[in-house]
Amino acid sequence: ICGKNIYMKRVVLFLISFVLVSQSYSENYENLDTIFNRVTKLFKQEKYLECFDLSKDLYEQSIEVEDTVLVFNSLYYMGFSNQRMGNMEEALDYNLKAYDVALLLDRLDLQSSIMNNIANVYMVNDEDSLAVIYFEKSIDFENQLIVIGRGNDRRQQLASRLGNISTAYMKLGRCEDAISAAEEGLRIDKEVGRPNKIAIRLNQLGNVYMKCGQLQEAIRCEREAYSYFEKAGSKYGMSIVLHSLGDMNKLENEIDSAIFYYEKSLEYAKSIENRLLIKDISQSLYKVYEEIN
């Protein structure tokens, strides 16, 4: 009887221990989901440094619990936040690591997202031919996902890829391809109904029109894009559009207006501490002042 009691005590202790461990793991997992939600919220709020720091914490904890999807998500936002801050070398490093995880997971959607981000980094670094290769592969993946029935979710991603590749085509002087891709991306986003993405697509199309010599169409697109970004309170978006409007007014020899747009663009870039934007806008201001002195 004594032996039986000892055995029963051991069983009870084991069960209690199992429940406590399971509860601890469950609470930790829920905590990681909460952290990830905060990461995405910080990114949407354009708090990119805070987003990176929290993503790094999420990455370390995700490794501990062996959650591969969260490992990918944390690397994704570590790369994307660095990209938005203008830290392109760091962005590429994290994106390449995330791509390895996406391959491990055998997920086309994740591979497509990272290929798009890698392409954007290459494009910022003026490696446009290389960027086009990654964008085209990402577009191919999105079309495959649409065929297998992923619906509007993947159509939205396709629109994004088309807008991005239009910029790469534009930089390579492929105007016809650039306009076609940008207009198709805008058409899809208007059909799906995504105001914030419509703004991005309008900005991309405006820049394409400007490069291809259709200046009035370009200005119309940028002004429409600005209204969307202003309504959303996106300082990043407003800064990009104002920079483009500065370039367009400079082309029209409206120097005072160009300076006004550049200075306002710089103000927004500084407010979100985006080093790449600050550098590009400052160079534009320097060049316009150099020409009038």
Side-chain angles (χ1 to χ4, degrees):
I1 295 173
C2 182
K4 187 177 180 180
N5 287 339
I6 292 172
Y7 172 76
M8 289 302 296
K9 285 180 180 179
R10 286 177 178 173
V11 170
V12 171
L13 286 172
F14 171 79
L15 289 173
I16 291 172
S17 175
F18 178 78
V19 169
L20 288 174
V21 169
S22 299
Q23 184 179 7
S24 174
Y25 183 85
S26 176
E27 288 175 354
N28 187 50
Y29 193 81
E30 289 175 4
N31 182 50
L32 292 185
D33 283 342
T34 301
I35 293 173
F36 179 61
N37 290 334
R38 285 173 56 203
V39 165
T40 58
K41 185 176 180 179
L42 286 168
F43 188 85
K44 289 176 182 177
Q45 292 173 337
E46 301 180 356
K47 298 178 180 178
Y48 301 123
L49 182 56
E50 292 177 50
C51 177
F52 170 74
D53 289 338
L54 192 58
S55 297
K56 193 173 181 180
D57 289 340
L58 178 63
Y59 173 75
E60 292 169 355
Q61 294 184 56
S62 301
I63 291 287
E64 287 181 13
V65 299
E66 298 181 354
D67 188 320
T68 314
V69 173
L70 276 178
V71 168
F72 171 85
N73 288 337
S74 56
L75 285 167
Y76 177 89
Y77 279 101
M78 287 161 78
F80 211 170
S81 55
N82 269 288
Q83 185 177 325
R84 285 295 177 88
M85 289 188 290
N87 306 325
M88 292 303 156
E89 187 174 338
E90 291 88 343
L92 184 59
D93 181 54
Y94 288 121
N95 280 323
L96 289 171
K97 288 176 180 175
Y99 183 66
D100 288 339
V101 179
L103 287 174
L104 181 66
L105 289 164
D106 194 25
R107 296 249 320 249
L108 282 185
D109 56 339
L110 303 185
Q111 292 173 43
S112 174
S113 293
I114 286 299
M115 281 190 167
N116 178 65
N117 285 4
I118 291 170
N120 273 313
V121 172
Y122 281 131
M123 186 164 63
V124 170
N125 290 337
D126 294 324
E127 299 178 77
D128 303 303
S129 296
L130 192 55
V132 164
I133 293 171
Y134 279 89
F135 281 137
E136 287 178 343
K137 190 63 179 175
S138 180
I139 288 169
D140 179 55
F141 282 159
E142 292 304 332
N143 283 318
Q144 289 182 50
L145 289 163
I146 289 169
V147 167
I148 63 177
R150 294 293 294 272
N152 277 347
D153 175 50
R154 301 327 300 185
R155 289 184 71 218
Q156 293 171 6
Q157 300 304 321
L158 177 60
S160 175
R161 311 298 185 256
L162 288 166
N164 291 339
I165 201 171
S166 73
T167 303
Y169 284 149
M170 173 196 73
K171 292 179 70 181
L172 291 169
R174 296 168 58 177
C175 280
E176 188 174 332
D177 291 334
I179 291 174
S180 176
E183 289 180 339
E184 177 65 7
L186 178 60
R187 183 190 67 78
I188 293 171
D189 268 329
K190 284 187 172 180
E191 280 185 2
V192 175
R194 298 195 302 168
N196 60 324
K197 301 302 180 182
I198 290 170
I200 294 171
R201 230 56 69 219
L202 283 164
N203 171 245
Q204 290 168 329
L205 181 57
N207 285 327
V208 167
Y209 278 142
M210 177 178 66
K211 185 74 172 181
C212 297
Q214 300 181 38
L215 197 54
Q216 292 309 310
E217 281 297 302
I219 292 172
R220 179 189 61 78
C221 284
E222 297 299 345
R223 285 176 176 166
E224 189 178 351
Y226 186 83
S227 67
Y228 278 104
F229 282 130
E230 186 177 36
K231 187 174 181 179
S234 173
K235 294 180 180 179
Y236 180 83
M238 287 189 285
S239 178
I240 289 175
V241 169
L242 288 165
H243 191 193
S244 295
L245 284 169
D247 290 341
M248 292 169 192
N249 275 268
K250 184 184 174 187
L251 283 174
E252 288 201 309
N253 207 33
E254 298 288 341
I255 304 303
D256 288 342
S257 294
I259 291 171
F260 169 79
Y261 285 124
Y262 286 148
E263 288 181 342
K264 194 66 179 174
S265 175
L266 185 59
E267 180 183 324
Y268 284 127
K270 285 180 176 178
S271 72
I272 58 173
E273 299 180 352
N274 188 303
R275 291 186 295 175
L276 184 64
L277 279 178
I278 292 168
K279 176 186 173 184
D280 288 346
I281 301 161
S282 297
Q283 286 177 343
S284 296
L285 264 172
Y286 175 79
K287 287 176 182 177
V288 77
Y289 277 123
E290 189 178 43
E291 288 178 12
I292 62 177
N293 288 332

